């Protein structure tokens, strides 16, 4: 197998693009991150053949982890066929020659942007998040020195102020993505732009969760079976999004749905954001309500 | 004023322990002297004024007392319910926790003490949430109550402070500090930059609040009228040293030092 993959990998690059010393540096940061769940570990982020902000943090984490026997899945907005996912997948198959897959069940490493797969992950899998802004306090406190102190001293009143502001303005917590979580009862962390629908999946997840922010040069982690709690108020408990109709294609009522505009007259349908989940269900014979698409003018 | 004879008796009967003991505090900036040889005791419920011209070391002293700056020499001890803590010998997390729990700081410029794009309610509620309050309804009710106490219309609870006038911002800052019921408050020129009528209202408010809550306070000011109205005891600073201290009326009516005489004769108080 390894001989095969060596043949497939582009011989002009080191395995997984990054040189071995850099991989060691990233692995050291990863080990520290896993040891202190939720703590943001600085690392020497490298230039990648991709614009910063497009997933360079996730790519570096994946590159430091991946071996010739791994199977990689890349998710962008829940889908495998969007630009970012296609580009990153082809990048890794070129520089490592590893097998790629679109099926969650077959993957050993899943690099993701915006979603956690609907299918529960297992102990044999690693979920790598691409993180644009690792600092959950940044919107309220611009000083990096100050936010680091706040983490060190567990001064998280400010984070609660952000939720307070939401309720004061909108009557409910209007934050729907990057919803802050408390990891292992110690560090407040940003789960990156996943919808808050996915937050409960992070709690006690059997898979290892790694977060890489390339532009901000930070790595953090949530080890398997770690307590992750979404912040809330006693009288405004945390809730996730819900939809009035099921997925138009597969009829799922328990997955995260995307709204898709289908014509120029305002016709729209709701479909599963997780394409692998939706296809899997359709293969099993599930169908959606055929002509149930809502029309409004 | 609600201070009755009984209150005063109760206060007098309380065991006489100063809440803050300051011992030979000095702060040097290289060769230059910020302040030196400052020593005093502050008692619970007492308001101490620090006056002096600009550059005399008032603000440096206040920053050292409030734990924002580390003195070059000397000790500052805080009586935390019977336990005497040397605040600059404490590890930083413990000091921050103490500051959050027992102290408040009112800055001269409300912009330094407020979050300008967080609503008034959020500003007042932050201290409560810092200390673990997690019930939105209760936090909001207390914020509204405190806005009323500092004479801000509670209907403006959701407005950000940048839409408030200067005087309102300063009152909001005071509400934000006092909502957590600190035992010790530091104020740096609390009436600076406000016009005279607003100053008068603010002083009135501060006097009532400080007396009602029995808070000990250190107020730095260059305005002797403020000192006269608010403080029990006065320290006059010049060139980084305390040159005169005593009861406020005594110092202002019968100044002993030439510099204090100059200061009191310069304005009508």
């Amino acid at each position: 197998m390894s001989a095969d993959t060596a043949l497939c990998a582009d011989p002009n690059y080191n395995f997984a693009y990054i040189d071995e010393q850099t991989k060691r540096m990233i692995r050291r940061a990863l080990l520290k991150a896993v040891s202190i769940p939720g703590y943001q570990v600085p690392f020497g982020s490298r230039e990648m053949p991709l614009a910063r902000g497009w997933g360079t943090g996730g790519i570096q984490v994946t590159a430091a982890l991946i071996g010739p026997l791994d199977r990689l899945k890349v998710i962008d907005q829940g889908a495998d066929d969007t630009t970012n996912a296609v580009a990153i997948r082809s990048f890794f198959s070129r520089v490592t020659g590893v097998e790629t897959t679109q099926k969650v069940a077959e993957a050993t490493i899943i690099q993701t942007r915006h979603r956690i797969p609907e299918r529960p992950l297992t102990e044999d899998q690693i979920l790598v998040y691409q993180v644009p802004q690792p600092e959950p306090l940044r919107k309220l406190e611009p000083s990096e020195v100050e936010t680091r102190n706040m983490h060190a001293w567990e001064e998280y009143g400010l984070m609660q102020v952000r939720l307070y502001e939401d309720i004061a303005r909108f009557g409910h917590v209007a934050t729907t993505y990057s919803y802050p979580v408390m990891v292992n009862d110690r560090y407040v962390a940003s789960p990156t732009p996943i919808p808050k629908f996915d937050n409960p999946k992070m709690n006690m997840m059997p898979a290892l969760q790694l977060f890489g922010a390339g532009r901000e040069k930070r790595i953090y982690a949530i080890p398997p079976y770690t307590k992750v709690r979404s912040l809330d108020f006693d009288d405004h408990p945390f809730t996730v999004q819900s939809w009035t109709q099921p997925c138009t294609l597969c009829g799922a009522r328990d997955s995260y749905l995307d709204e898709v505009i289908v014509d120029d007259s305002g016709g729209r349908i709701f479909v599963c954001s997780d394409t692998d989940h939706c296809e899997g269900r359709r293969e099993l014979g599930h169908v959606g309500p055929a002509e149930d698409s809502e029309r409004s003018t | 004023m609600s201070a009755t004879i009984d209150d005063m008796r109760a206060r007098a009967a309380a065991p006489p322990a100063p809440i803050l003991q300051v011992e030979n505090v000095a702060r040097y900036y290289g060769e230059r002297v910020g302040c030196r040889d400052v020593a005093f005791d502050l008692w619970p419920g007492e308001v101490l004024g620090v006056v002096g011209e600009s550059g005399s070391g008032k603000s440096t002293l206040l920053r050292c007392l409030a734990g924002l700056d580390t003195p070059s020499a000397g000790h500052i001890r805080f009586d935390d319910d019977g336990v005497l803590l040397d605040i600059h010998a404490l590890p930083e997390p413990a000091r921050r926790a103490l500051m959050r729990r027992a102290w408040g700081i009112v800055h001269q410029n409300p912009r330094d003490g407020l979050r300008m794009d967080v609503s008034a309610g959020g500003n007042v509620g932050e201290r409560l949430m810092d200390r673990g309050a997690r019930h939105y309804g209760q936090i909001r009710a207390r914020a509204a109550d405190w806005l009323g106490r500092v004479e801000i219309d509670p209907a403006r609870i959701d407005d950000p402070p940048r839409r408030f006038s200067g005087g309102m911002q300063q009152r909001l800052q005071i509400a934000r500090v006092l909502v957590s019921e600190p035992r010790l408050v530091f104020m740096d020129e609390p009436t600076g930059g406000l016009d005279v009528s607003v100053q008068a209202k603010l002083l009135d408010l501060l006097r009532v609040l400080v007396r009602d809550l029995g808070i000990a306070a250190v107020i730095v000011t260059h305005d002797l009228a403020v000192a006269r109205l608010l403080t029990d005891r006065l320290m006059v600073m010049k060139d980084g040293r305390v040159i005169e201290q005593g009861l406020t009326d005594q110092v202002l009516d019968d100044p002993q030092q030439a510099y204090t005489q100059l200061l009191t004769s310069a304005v009508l108080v």
Side-chain angles (χ1 to χ4, degrees), chain B residues 25-28 60 63-64 67-73 76 88-89 95:
Chain B
V25 162
R27 176 74 174 92
Y28 302 105
T60 302
R63 287 181 58 79
C64 288
L68 301 174
D69 198 356
T70 314
S72 315
I76 299 164
H88 290 287
R95 184 163 66 242

Side-chain angles (χ1 to χ4, degrees), chain B residues 9-29:
Chain B
R9 274 200 194 118
R11 219 175 270 173
I19 187 167
L20 195 69
Q21 299 177 14
V22 179
E23 201 180 285
N24 298 326
V25 162
R27 176 74 174 92
Y28 302 105
Y29 299 102

Side-chain angles (χ1 to χ4, degrees), chain A residues 153 155 158 164-165 234-235, chain B residues 96 100 119 134-137:
Chain A
W153 297 323
E155 288 187 353
L158 189 58
Y164 171 95
E165 288 293 289
D234 296 345
D235 48 347
Chain B
R96 282 279 281 232
R100 232 164 33 208
S119 71
R134 289 292 180 267
H135 192 286
Y136 175 82

